[in-house]
Amino acid sequence: MPNYNPRAVEPKWQQYWETRKTFRCPDPDAPEVAGKPKIYILDMFPYPSGAGLHVGHPEGYTATDILARFRRMRGYHVMHPIGWDAFGLPAEQYAIKNNVHPRITTQANITNFRRQIKSLGFSYDWDREVDTTDPEYVKWTQWIFLELYDTWYDHAAKKGRSISELPIPAEVASQGEAAVAKYRDSKRLAFQANNPVNWCPGLGTVLANEEVIDGKSEVGGFPVERRPLRQWILRITEYAERLLDDLEPLDWSESIKTMQKNWIGKSIGAEVEFRISGRDACVMVFTTRPDTLYGATYMVLSPEHPLLEGITTPEQKAAVTAYQEAASRKSDFERTEMAKTKTGVFTGAFAVNPVNGKDIPIWIADYVLAGYGTGAIMAVPGHDERDFEFAKQFGLPIQVVVTPTPEWLKKTKSTTDDLKVAYCEEGVACNSGPLDGLPTAEAKEKIIADLQAKGLGTRKVNYKLRDWLFSRQRYWGEPFPILHEVDAEGNRTGVIEPLTAADLPLRLPELEDFKPTGSPEGPLVKAQDWVKVTRNGKTYQRETNTMPQWAGSCWYYLRYLDPKNPNAFCDPAKVKHWLPVDLYVGGAEHAVLHLLYSRFWHKVLFDRGHVPCPEPFHRLVNQGLILGETEWTGFARTQTTEAAARNFVDVTGDEWLSAKDVSFDGSSATTKGKNPAALSLVKLPEDQVEKQGESFVLKAKPDIRVDARAFKMSKSRGNVVNPDTVVNQYGADSLRLYEMFMGPLEAMKPWNMRGVEGVYRFLSRVWRLIIDDTAETPTLHPSVQDVPPDAETLKLLHKAIKKVTEDTEGLRFNTGIAAMMEFTNHLTAKVEVRPLSTLKTFVLLLAPYAPHVAEEFWEVLGNSNTLAYEPWPVYDESLVREDEIELPVQINGKVKAKLLVPADADAATLEKMALADPKVLEQLAGKPVRKVIAKPRQMVSIVI
Ligand code: ANZ
């Protein structure tokens, strides 16, 4: 044990922390935390998959752990918990195949994840662990669902309120209790509706859009139908505006904010009413360009539009019905993004353009979606690409109503009478009667005002955000706490009875087999004893859908604060103390759905008075993706045509080509030149490659450049790194240090085992500084003595304290580690008698990063207690102040000399010094100086 052996050190300290509950986070009323500032540091909890932890998980977890340990040492009351997002499809699919209950698989996976996470020495408070599948957790997920069910959105007050406070219109009230109940149901945040879903009879289940390819199931290739199915839906759209507005003050990256904004997709425009020619009916359209109304030359309804039934002429009926059928089999994505050509059918009907009274034909086409705007559009082919394509396809008239710029006409080879593409930019209105000459923004305002005055249109805001389809036909999810009343014949009456808090948790029934039923009701329908309920003489059926996996992760950050509370999801005093989460770290893949869903739930809980702040996560940081080891590839020829061989005379069939002679388009490579030959990428062993400047070359032929690339870790590529392997070989402290040393936390970076070895050597060096490698057991090195440090060491130590403190606080862990390495190099190279006090301070700096070995050092340095709560070292300002600094001197914008100056030199002194410097004088060569700009602590710039 004289050498650094993490396999002995790490389990020892993990056990120490565990048995003493070193990282237990006391509740806010505990006397030991009185007066301490709080910080809530949250990790995105993992889904415990069968594959175990991946080196991507410990990246974020190490970052938050370092900060948590650092803040404890700085006197903070730190909340740093972990848990399991444990519902999910894989366990259910495993159950279907192998007949093992999903609970068993899930628990086994959790056990493995817990072991792996504990082996990395994270300072979680394990007494706060939550598991979303635990009935005591499910109870509160169901309770929050009931709150959603009990809430309606009051637009005037801009907040969710209890359904009992919903004003009932007199005409509804007069129709009796059933009408009132129906009215309430139509306003609840949790409601039922028939929504088209992807139903796959072959698999007996509903599929997500991503699981359907060309109208067939991705698995098995069975046909998929779009069919309306009764679903639970959450009215997240009511919160669209607040979800958008409240993003502003959050300390999140701009890119994540933009992704959320785009997902919410606010569009400002108008709704305009078109009368159907010769009928007493109207169609409403939504447009973001009401200024182009004069250019609307036809109209398109979505194939699902309810008016079609009434307006389609008998001659067109068959064609319209056939088109509707075909459209019903396509997803929105196939209808819009994937469609190569526009399709559509004329309905035979006409509408009247309200501004010029012209009759325009009404078509149906699947590029108009039923679920957006009003499901109908006015088509302006001159200024909308989709409409332009459609008009070209079907020979419909194109009218220019916004003047294109001459440059645009030239670039697109168009004239105003013959557009080659649509002119989609803003500009000045033309051919538009009273709008002529107005710029787009003004034309919009004017036309909206005119339409509004005539009662033909209104200003309208639309959102891309859809209500949230919240039910799944699965077993392994939270059951809905809902009862459907049934009549004597066993048919549902439509009356719903929610369970009460006292009925919760509603547990999943035990099932013998988890296979889909073949009907869209989900496997729970098999548990008939569970489904049938009698209460107060009435018969009910339980809801057989379950909640989606998102449900549990919407609110887990609240349960950590009071994980065992049987009476509330969390004690209000605790929520008040801890919220909002100060720092939330996780993968950018959750930029939209999870973060939007949990913000939505949080806002509802806020409106209903259960949480004290409108947003849950104050600061969000996304760790960068860790890629697999860099792979080197060279281009090998696969086909040698004679012509190509002649073109590349210096290359024989099996020799390497230089990357500069190759074109690569992402999927295939060819030789450059007149007669390109196909090439393939060949993976090169590491020892055949060396780095030359910024690029990699073939060792044997350094003029041949090879490609160096790292790929996303994936099983199929075989480049996944398992943390267990790294821990076994180098220890958790090295894994932690390496993950942080790879680069900035938010950057994407490739894994490299040699880098792990590098930080392992660093820790071994520190070990040899402190520990006697000739002793049997860890003992202090004989050259560590209780002497004061020399002046230089003291100064460097204080600089290291400053750097590590600031970098840890700023989450710049890589540069913090570099500062520690630098200081260690100084101690190793320059200091013979190692001062005890210096080492003690240094060990405290190292502790958040490499906590196991730091605890070991701390013990050997003569301490009997953990260092987890030792005060963080403070630096002495007078020791870190630099006396002299180096400043660049520019002459006509180019750096020509470096000047060593007193750190506090003012501009006049700097100017004098620069103009007296021999190197500068030599550069000036007697030419007259026109101007000198001296910026203290930055630079001196001379213009000649
Ligand atoms: C006329 C027009 C003229 C339009 C023009 C655009 C440009 P965003 O920004 O996405 O909200 N639209 C409206 N409802 C639609 C639906 N259900 N399916 C497909 N397209 C629909 O875009 C709104 C625009 O998309 C609307 O403005 C409408 O086309 C189309 F020069 O109306 B516009």
Side-chain angles (χ1 to χ4, degrees):
M1 175 62 189
N3 285 322
Y4 171 42
N5 180 6
R7 256 173 299 189
V9 173
E10 294 179 353
K12 167 180 160 187
W13 290 102
Q14 282 161 16
Q15 210 185 356
Y16 176 101
W17 298 326
E18 177 140 352
T19 49
R20 288 168 213 235
K21 293 192 190 280
T22 304
F23 303 111
R24 195 183 62 85
C25 170
D27 279 330
D29 55 4
E32 68 264 39
V33 295
K36 282 189 171 189
K38 73 96 185 177
I39 183 167
Y40 186 173
I41 303 172
L42 180 69
D43 287 310
M44 283 187 191
F45 66 165
Y47 169 69
S49 74
L53 219 58
H54 175 285
V55 288
H57 289 114
E59 186 192 11
Y61 298 170
T62 304
T64 50
D65 192 61
I66 292 172
L67 191 74
R69 288 172 176 272
F70 169 72
R71 288 294 190 97
R72 277 188 209 103
M73 294 172 80
R74 298 197 96 189
Y76 279 76
H77 180 203
V78 176
M79 174 62 69
H80 188 43
I82 192 76
W84 320 107
D85 184 16
F87 277 123
L89 204 50
E92 182 164 339
Q93 281 173 331
Y94 189 82
I96 293 169
K97 256 201 213 137
N98 304 298
N99 219 26
V100 180
H101 197 286
R103 185 172 299 112
I104 295 174
T105 320
T106 304
Q107 288 312 318
N109 291 349
I110 289 179
T111 305
N112 187 41
F113 262 66
R114 191 189 292 113
R115 172 193 65 76
Q116 288 189 297
I117 286 185
K118 285 195 172 176
S119 82
L120 295 170
F122 297 133
S123 61
Y124 296 123
D125 176 356
W126 287 99
D127 289 345
R128 293 179 182 273
E129 185 180 346
V130 303
D131 165 358
T132 55
T133 66
D134 177 353
E136 284 311 303
Y137 186 93
V138 168
K139 169 176 171 177
W140 297 105
T141 309
Q142 290 169 334
W143 182 87
I144 297 174
F145 176 84
L146 290 177
E147 281 294 287
L148 289 154
Y149 181 75
D150 184 65
T151 304
W152 65 288
Y153 195 78
D154 179 348
H155 285 269
K158 293 195 173 151
K159 70 181 279 218
R161 295 171 58 189
S162 169
I163 203 81
S164 61
E165 296 167 8
L166 176 71
I168 307 292
E171 72 269 22
V172 175
S174 67
Q175 291 168 44
E177 222 171 277
V180 170
K182 209 170 156 199
Y183 181 74
R184 287 205 178 108
D185 286 349
S186 75
K187 300 288 178 194
R188 296 176 189 275
L189 292 185
F191 67 103
Q192 300 180 86
N194 276 309
N195 255 28
V197 293
N198 304 308
W199 170 246
C200 177
L203 291 176
T205 181
V206 164
L207 299 174
N209 282 344
E210 297 76 26
E211 297 167 319
V212 183
I213 293 169
D214 288 338
K216 302 222 168 75
S217 61
E218 188 183 8
V219 180
F222 298 104
V224 174
E225 298 164 14
R226 299 279 291 170
R227 71 145 95 159
L229 196 63
R230 185 189 57 85
Q231 302 280 332
W232 280 96
I233 295 174
L234 298 186
R235 227 182 280 276
I236 188 174
T237 50
E238 296 282 38
Y239 282 78
E241 196 66 39
R242 277 168 62 190
L243 288 168
L244 200 60
D245 289 347
D246 294 352
L247 273 177
E248 218 40 64
L250 298 180
D251 185 4
W252 293 19
S253 74
E254 271 319 305
S255 72
I256 301 285
K257 284 188 186 180
T258 306
M259 281 160 86
Q260 291 231 338
K261 279 183 202 157
N262 291 345
W263 190 265
I264 297 167
K266 180 177 181 175
S267 297
I268 302 171
E271 275 186 0
V272 183
E273 196 175 280
F274 284 65
R275 199 165 47 76
I276 309 283
S277 216
R279 273 173 212 266
D280 187 20
C282 287
V283 196
M284 194 67 105
V285 305
F286 170 68
T287 174
T288 45
R289 293 294 302 271
D291 59 301
T292 62
L293 188 48
Y294 283 83
T297 53
Y298 65 101
M299 185 168 217
V300 185
L301 306 189
S302 64
E304 297 83 359
H305 203 287
L307 259 187
L308 283 169
E309 180 82 36
I311 64 166
T312 308
T313 58
E315 306 80 60
Q316 293 301 100
K317 197 103 214 164
V320 165
T321 312
Y323 190 83
Q324 287 176 310
E325 279 269 314
S328 75
R329 282 193 289 272
K330 292 191 201 165
S331 68
D332 287 358
F333 183 72
E334 287 172 280
R335 286 168 55 158
T336 52
E337 313 289 322
M338 273 168 60
K340 292 210 175 66
T341 50
K342 295 268 174 297
T343 57
V345 175
F346 179 43
T347 62
F350 290 84
V352 184
N353 186 328
V355 285
N356 54 19
K358 280 189 190 154
D359 264 0
I360 58 173
I362 303 177
W363 286 64
I364 63 168
D366 62 9
Y367 78 93
V368 174
L369 303 174
Y372 188 64
T374 62
I377 65 157
M378 62 180 210
V380 184
H383 304 285
D384 181 282
E385 260 167 60
R386 296 159 298 180
D387 299 344
F388 184 87
E389 271 176 52
F390 192 84
K392 280 283 179 200
Q393 179 103 357
F394 295 103
L396 294 157
I398 297 171
Q399 170 72 56
V400 171
V401 290
V402 182
T403 316
T405 59
E407 301 81 59
W408 184 86
L409 288 172
K410 206 168 141 200
K411 200 176 86 197
T412 58
K413 301 195 171 70
S414 300
T415 64
T416 42
D417 298 326
D418 179 21
L419 297 186
K420 295 288 187 268
V421 287
Y423 179 69
C424 301
E425 281 144 60
E426 301 203 341
V428 174
C430 60
N431 303 320
S432 296
L435 304 182
D436 281 359
L438 293 180
T440 302
E442 284 172 41
K444 279 187 188 175
E445 288 307 314
K446 178 160 170 49
I447 188 85
I448 293 176
D450 291 354
L451 290 169
Q452 217 143 357
K454 290 187 195 129
L456 290 174
T458 47
R459 189 181 304 281
K460 173 86 189 172
V461 174
N462 253 319
Y463 298 94
K464 290 254 151 56
L465 184 66
R466 296 282 78 117
D467 279 330
W468 175 12
L469 200 154
F470 194 68
S471 37
R472 299 291 181 271
Q473 296 69 39
R474 304 285 186 204
Y475 173 76
W476 195 227
E478 297 88 346
F480 283 86
I482 288 290
L483 296 172
H484 299 274
E485 191 188 82
V486 290
D487 60 19
E489 274 82 54
N491 297 317
R492 288 186 184 176
T493 62
V495 172
I496 288 213
E497 193 66 51
L499 297 186
T500 61
D503 299 324
L504 305 180
L506 169 61
R507 290 166 192 261
L508 281 166
E510 291 305 320
L511 278 192
E512 289 282 303
D513 88 277
F514 305 93
K515 282 188 209 70
T517 50
S519 83
E521 286 174 291
L524 286 184
V525 79
K526 292 187 211 172
Q528 274 304 313
D529 290 352
W530 178 85
V531 173
K532 270 195 214 137
V533 178
T534 356
R535 277 196 178 187
N536 309 328
K538 284 190 187 158
T539 320
Y540 297 93
Q541 288 175 351
R542 290 199 195 279
E543 173 62 62
T544 55
N545 284 313
T546 52
M547 299 186 202
Q549 200 186 345
W550 305 109
S553 59
C554 266
W555 72 280
Y556 72 113
Y557 60 95
L558 295 168
R559 190 62 178 170
Y560 284 140
L561 308 179
D562 200 7
K564 314 247 154 63
N565 193 333
N567 304 316
F569 70 82
C570 182
D571 172 347
K574 292 176 184 167
V575 196
K576 188 155 185 289
H577 176 81
W578 287 111
L579 285 194
V581 170
D582 296 279
L583 175 68
Y584 193 19
V585 176
E589 66 275 19
H590 295 299
V592 181
L593 298 179
H594 159 62
L595 286 168
L596 203 63
Y597 293 155
S598 52
R599 290 180 63 218
F600 162 51
W601 278 35
H602 189 92
K603 286 185 184 305
V604 177
L605 291 174
F606 173 69
D607 287 353
R608 299 300 306 270
H610 303 300
V611 293
C613 50
E615 283 288 330
F617 314 121
H618 170 66
R619 179 169 183 208
L620 174 77
V621 170
N622 295 115
Q623 81 251 20
L625 199 64
I626 294 187
L627 304 172
E629 293 254 1
T630 302
E631 297 171 20
W632 288 274
T633 46
F635 299 95
R637 322 190 62 156
T638 50
Q639 280 168 20
T640 324
T641 62
E642 259 189 60
R646 254 184 277 123
N647 261 325
F648 295 92
V649 282
D650 56 332
V651 181
T652 64
D654 54 4
E655 228 178 314
W656 298 108
L657 284 173
S658 167
K660 69 178 187 315
D661 295 328
V662 171
S663 339
F664 185 72
D665 74 359
S667 59
S668 64
T670 45
T671 53
K672 280 185 190 161
K674 275 199 195 123
N675 294 301
L679 299 168
S680 65
L681 288 171
V682 176
K683 202 162 159 176
L684 298 168
E686 205 178 318
D687 60 5
Q688 286 192 20
V689 173
E690 66 187 1
K691 194 157 186 195
Q692 209 173 70
E694 281 307 291
S695 47
F696 292 87
V697 297
L698 210 57
K699 243 187 202 166
K701 283 190 154 202
D703 58 322
I704 292 182
R705 212 150 58 76
V706 298
D707 217 29
R709 267 201 289 173
F711 296 85
K712 195 177 161 175
M713 285 192 188
S714 68
K715 252 198 211 144
S716 60
R717 233 193 143 78
N719 60 354
V720 178
V721 178
N722 183 337
D724 285 350
T725 323
V726 186
V727 171
N728 280 334
Q729 208 175 340
Y730 299 103
D733 285 334
S734 291
L735 174 65
R736 294 169 58 112
L737 267 185
Y738 174 64
E739 295 231 3
M740 296 300 100
F741 194 50
M742 288 168 88
L745 180 60
E746 293 173 80
M748 182 154 83
K749 43 218 169 221
W751 185 266
N752 179 350
M753 271 304 179
R754 279 203 279 183
V756 187
E757 217 173 287
V759 295
Y760 173 78
R761 279 203 302 269
F762 159 65
L763 289 180
S764 307
R765 216 174 311 132
V766 183
W767 179 274
R768 289 193 300 271
L769 272 175
I770 300 177
I771 289 179
D772 182 1
D773 50 9
T774 62
E776 284 285 303
T777 53
T779 328
L780 206 56
H781 197 284
S783 38
V784 179
Q785 288 171 28
D786 199 359
V787 293
D790 60 81
E792 190 191 1
T793 302
L794 189 66
K795 219 166 161 166
L796 291 174
L797 176 69
H798 280 254
K799 279 191 177 167
I801 299 174
K802 180 171 196 276
K803 183 87 180 125
V804 176
T805 307
E806 290 172 358
D807 286 353
T808 308
E809 189 60 61
L811 312 184
R812 294 181 300 273
F813 306 114
N814 53 330
T815 50
I817 296 170
M820 289 190 264
M821 289 178 165
E822 232 175 89
F823 184 66
T824 310
N825 289 345
H826 166 79
L827 287 183
T828 320
K830 301 243 178 91
V831 182
E832 267 178 22
V833 178
R834 299 159 197 163
L836 186 69
S837 63
T838 305
L839 291 178
K840 277 190 179 171
T841 306
F842 178 74
V843 165
L844 294 176
L845 296 184
L846 182 66
Y849 290 77
H852 307 87
V853 74
E855 291 272 23
E856 185 73 21
F857 292 149
W858 193 243
E859 187 179 66
V860 173
L861 287 165
N863 302 286
S864 53
N865 238 332
T866 171
L867 48 60
Y869 297 90
E870 281 301 310
W872 183 256
V874 221
Y875 60 87
D876 179 342
E877 191 60 59
S878 69
L879 287 169
V880 297
R881 206 179 299 132
E882 290 151 297
D883 307 331
E884 280 194 322
I885 50 173
E886 207 180 48
L887 286 194
V889 182
Q890 291 187 349
I891 300 178
N892 285 355
K894 287 213 177 88
V895 178
K896 293 288 184 185
K898 293 256 164 80
L899 216 55
L900 207 57
V901 302
D904 56 359
D906 61 8
T909 317
L910 290 178
E911 181 171 341
K912 228 182 271 167
M913 286 182 74
L915 294 176
D917 184 73
K919 200 131 181 230
V920 173
L921 287 174
E922 185 188 315
Q923 293 285 335
L924 293 178
K927 289 189 199 114
V929 171
R930 283 213 264 143
K931 201 155 113 195
V932 181
I933 305 161
K935 290 195 180 149
R937 297 192 69 89
Q938 287 180 31
M939 62 139 179
V940 182
S941 172
I942 303 173
V943 183
I944 55 171

